[in-house]
Amino acid sequence: MVNSTNVAASAVSVAKGVGALTAAGSFAGAATLAYAHFIELNNFQVRHETLPLLPAGSADFTILHISDMHMVPGQKKKHEFMHSLAEINPDLVINTGDNLSHMKALPSLLNALDPLLDFPGVYVPGSNCYYAPVFKNPARYLWKESTSDEGVDPSKERLPTQDMHDAFDARGWVGLINRFDTLTLNGLRLEFSGVDDPHLEFDRHPGFSPTAFDTEPAPSVRLGVCHAPYMRTLTRFVDDGAQAIFAGHTHGGQVCLPGGKALVSNCDLDPSRAKGVSLQSGVPVEVSAGLGTSRFAAIRLFCPPEAVVVTLTAARQ
């Protein structure tokens, strides 16, 4: 005969256990979100990479790669970190876009970049250089097809893009918006090919200068620069003769598994390539995890914000 008292007691015990597990799960989730927002979001890092691209006997050349600042007014820790990057004393700064995350953030951005604007630099825009971000369900990135489908949206709030680019130009940075250009710095001739944001499908590849390498003595290096590293973009840069490619956009996956494994790249690049240096047909592709996030998704997990120092050095003989 079943003892009804024991059954009732067991039911109460199970209910308490489920309640405890639910509470523990809720606490763990809240603690993870708090860490991702208050700790890791401001755990700024400097990653170092070396690319042996220069002719034998060439001196090292230092590039500071910054991307995806997504600036919002009042981000004191980000300002301090970006100011500290001037101590690296780079030969060149490459900015791969998504600079703003607020309509009133341009003064904050220019203040944060001020010491770096004293160095030679090049830049390309991302979608958050044109349009203010809007709230989106973060889970959409787990099922959304990885294609560039945003395009021009008249309903989105326009950011002060031209004012920002004018400020960059006034300090000597070179815009690579669907155009090529060259700079000679510290005896190295840099040949650039840059495109407008592939995520918005604004990209129109200019190729590289057809005569630059013929008319200038070595050492020289060809660099492709874009915001979003879509496969079509990387393939075209390789076909055009790039020796290295710089990009951002992915946030390194932003919310990753322990160890930093990205689940998404927000484009058709394999998530395993969402941060760091990988190869595209033998050409190194440097993808920055970026310095910020959309203000509507201000968390990072196992993927701290970063600036990247890339040292171009002589190739091994």
Side-chain angles (χ1 to χ4, degrees), residues 50-60 243 312-317:
T50 300
L51 300 180
L53 300 178
L54 305 182
S58 299
D60 287 354
Q243 294 169 270
L312 304 185
T313 190
R316 298 183 182 90
Q317 296 300 301

Side-chain angles (χ1 to χ4, degrees), residues 105-116:
L106 181 56
S108 295
L109 172 72
L110 296 178
N111 178 276
L113 285 173
D114 183 63
L116 298 180

Side-chain angles (χ1 to χ4, degrees), residues 10-82:
S10 296
V12 170
S13 178
V14 169
K16 287 182 178 178
V18 170
L21 287 173
T22 301
S26 297
F27 176 80
T32 299
L33 284 174
Y35 169 81
H37 177 73
F38 292 106
I39 304 300
E40 188 154 344
L41 193 69
N42 293 305
N43 183 23
F44 297 102
Q45 308 284 315
V46 177
R47 172 163 56 89
H48 292 265
E49 302 285 355
T50 300
L51 300 180
L53 300 178
L54 305 182
S58 299
D60 287 354
F61 187 90
T62 302
I63 296 174
L64 174 64
H65 180 197
I66 57 174
S67 193
D68 297 87
M69 275 74 75
H70 290 282
M71 193 64 70
V72 171
Q75 295 178 313
K76 182 179 178 181
K77 291 183 179 178
K78 188 185 294 184
H79 277 70
E80 292 173 349
F81 176 75
M82 292 178 67

